[in-house]
Amino acid sequence: MALPGNPTALAERASTYQASASRIQRAADDLRALAYTSTAKSLDAVRERSGDVAGTLDEAYGRYSGTATALVEYAAVLRDAHRRADAADQAEATAESYAGQADTRVTALTRHVRSLEDAAAPVGTIEAAERDLADAQRAARRYDTAATTARDDHEAARRDMEAAAQRAMALIDSAIDATNESWLDHVGNFFAGVGSWLADLGKWVGDFLQDLWDELQRLVSTVLAILGTVLILVLVYALLSMIPVIGPLIAALVVGILAGFLLGSILSDVLKPTPKPHEYELTTVEKGRSRGEPTDLATALKDAGYVDSLGHHTEESADETVIKVTKVIDADGVVRWRVALPSTQEWLSRFNGDQGAVNDLDSNLALMLTPSLRSQYERAVLQAMEQAGVGHDDPVMLVGFSQGGIMAGHLAAYNSDYNWSAVVVAGAPIDSMPIPASTKVVSVQHAGDPVPQLDSYMSLGVLGHPWHGPNWTTIHETSPLAAQGVGGIHNAAAYNSTLSSHVDLVPPATQDDLSEYFIGDQSAYGYQNTYYSWNED
């Protein structure tokens, strides 16, 4: 795997700091010349002020010059580390290719020796074949050793890069700390303290009003969803009661059981304690299912399908909820995050007991019908993001299929704890969610998929779509697996294919903005994946 970082971009950034340092130094020298070359009394105030400003510029020069020196050194080490890592990767690929051929030859020769032995061939013939086999085995071991050595070389390059990063950070800290204690800094700190207090007060008021608005939106959405559900239940009652063999009494009983099931499912989820997320180690089988890291918006939904396959101890069970949190850093040090959320993996928890995963039917109903009540799924996702180190102002992209998409839209619409910059979903009923215009939305829907229409049935009518602003793109296409029926229409892999084929329907400006969340972007410096899981207590 290629090392993170862009040596060329970093070197250009260092050059910018060096140029800034030089300009700052020239400005300080010019001001000193003004302060000391003239003796006119009328210029006393100017001279004094010029000297003060020159001193302040000297401090800025120290910061910029020290930072530039640290970055220049780090850029050189980073470039060398990339060169060594690339060479190691090439050597490993070559060794593994030859190792594969050698292993094939070993297998063939082993079968050949056994066939000779079974056929009671002459001893000389068998010994010659065994010598050929031993030579092939030695060659295979050499190639395996070469591949291991190449991997060690790659790891050594990575360690050197990290050590250089630590040295660069120490040098930068020293450059800044060395000029941080002037009298001007102390005076500035005093006024900054006063300003900070006022800013904190304003932030508290703003947060309070934002929380109040979030709760109001949750409440309104919950009331509308419940009213829609009641209307559906009334319609079911009316239709059943018209059937002679059922009648009003049995119809009322059926509707009552259905209403009790909905209420019991929701309360079963929202009244349980918040699960405790922990880092999740992928098994060998799960690693083998990976379809690679998404490189752009067109491949974003690969993560949605992948997290669906995690947390299953057996093929039939859904033991844990697993999410993927990806940290992407660009060459300027800006941190962005992608959070991939899984879809429903357990449907029968009301009948055969909860298996463990919280992305089940209960949380589905809670998310859709009672957004004012926080589901286990929502609470655990927020805790996992906090554990991952997601800053409250860091831009976050949420990615999800089906229930994962519902959760993505739900967070963007009803939670202001984080900077939900983008939502990319597939097969999810989010059309009616009050997602703010500051969040860019890409929603992929297949023709004939009933799931994205669930909110429309209750609030807009069949196939109804609300008007969305320029921040919102809905891609409505036929599933490439439509011939398989609903299973091929509401399908994560099919949705991934649809987005890849029709990403050009997303406005170019939106594509450019969202590309910054992926490793394929030219400004991407590095990335880190962490998986988190939890289950019901």
Side-chain angles (χ1 to χ4, degrees), residues 134-361:
D135 290 342
Q137 289 172 334
R138 283 192 292 271
R141 287 194 293 271
R142 285 198 303 273
Y143 292 131
D144 287 339
T145 301
T148 300
T149 301
R151 286 190 287 270
D152 291 343
D153 291 343
H154 181 106
E155 183 63 20
R158 185 190 63 79
R159 289 196 300 269
D160 289 347
M161 183 194 71
E162 292 180 351
Q166 294 298 324
R167 287 197 301 273
M169 286 187 288
L171 286 172
I172 292 172
D173 288 342
S174 297
I176 293 174
D177 291 343
T179 55
N180 244 2
E181 296 300 327
S182 70
W183 66 271
L184 191 61
D185 289 322
H186 291 299
V187 173
N189 288 339
F190 169 77
F191 287 106
V194 176
S196 176
W197 180 82
L198 293 175
D200 289 343
L201 178 61
K203 185 177 185 304
W204 180 85
V205 173
D207 289 345
F208 173 78
L209 293 176
Q210 182 64 60
D211 290 342
L212 186 62
W213 174 249
D214 289 344
E215 291 303 324
L216 181 60
Q217 287 198 115
R218 284 176 179 265
L219 182 60
V220 170
S221 297
T222 299
V223 170
L224 291 176
I226 291 176
L227 287 176
T229 304
V230 170
L231 289 175
I232 292 175
L233 291 175
V234 169
L235 178 62
V236 170
Y237 169 78
L239 292 174
L240 290 176
S241 62
M242 292 171 61
I243 302 175
V245 296
I246 294 179
L249 185 60
I250 297 178
L253 179 61
V254 171
V255 169
I257 292 174
L258 181 58
F261 171 80
L262 294 176
L263 180 61
S265 297
I266 292 171
L267 293 180
S268 172
D269 185 85
V270 301
L271 295 180
K272 288 183 178 178
T274 302
K276 297 178 175 58
H278 58 274
E279 288 194 28
Y280 181 82
E281 291 293 332
L282 299 178
T283 66
T284 302
V285 173
E286 289 172 336
K287 290 178 181 177
R289 292 179 184 149
S290 174
R291 303 173 67 184
E293 186 70 12
T295 57
D296 53 18
L297 176 62
T299 56
L301 290 175
K302 285 200 299 188
D303 275 351
Y306 183 51
V307 292
D308 278 356
S309 69
L310 306 179
H312 300 269
H313 297 172
T314 67
E315 290 297 326
E316 295 77 20
S317 67
D319 306 279
E320 296 180 82
T321 298
V322 183
I323 69 170
K324 177 183 178 184
V325 180
T326 302
K327 179 180 182 181
V328 181
I329 307 172
D330 69 17
D332 290 330
V334 177
V335 177
R336 295 178 177 83
W337 302 82
R338 280 198 334 272
V339 181
L341 305 164
S343 66
T344 306
Q345 296 300 302
E346 183 183 348
W347 290 97
L348 302 176
S349 54
R350 291 295 89 219
F351 302 100
N352 61 0
D354 286 320
Q355 296 175 359
V358 302
N359 47 322
D360 56 12
L361 178 61

Side-chain angles (χ1 to χ4, degrees), residues 436-477:
S438 58
T439 301
K440 290 182 172 60
V441 179
V442 176
S443 175
V444 189
Q445 301 179 8
H446 281 156
D449 189 345
V451 178
Q453 303 302 323
L454 289 177
D455 57 345
S456 301
Y457 295 148
M458 292 184 290
S459 60
L460 301 167
V462 177
L463 298 180
H465 294 282
W467 181 87
H468 292 124
N471 68 306
W472 196 303
T473 302
T474 298
I475 299 174
H476 193 272
E477 298 290 338

